[in-house]
Amino acid sequence: MGAEDFGRFLADIPGAYAWIGNGPGAGLHNPAYDYNDAILPAAARFLAESAKAALR
């Protein structure tokens, strides 16, 4: 669903979005889903480096 919303935004405003995987396990919207918090530092680095590259 997020792709539909952000795809609409990108039609009007230049930008990008990325999905950050968090390993194997139950799918999203499943009661057994358990988000892997350990992925957050890597995702934050990716976002920061992407922003710096875009600003160059």
Side-chain angles (χ1 to χ4, degrees):
M1 299 295 287
E4 293 174 10
D5 293 342
F6 286 106
R8 175 65 186 101
F9 297 150
L10 293 176
D12 296 329
I13 301 169
Y17 63 95
W19 299 108
I20 305 294
N22 69 347
L28 189 59
H29 305 298
N30 182 312
Y33 180 75
D34 183 24
Y35 188 79
N36 178 4
D37 291 338
I39 196 65
L40 292 174
R45 275 191 305 278
F46 174 78
L47 178 60
E49 292 302 320
S50 297
K52 289 192 311 190
L55 291 172
R56 281 188 213 116

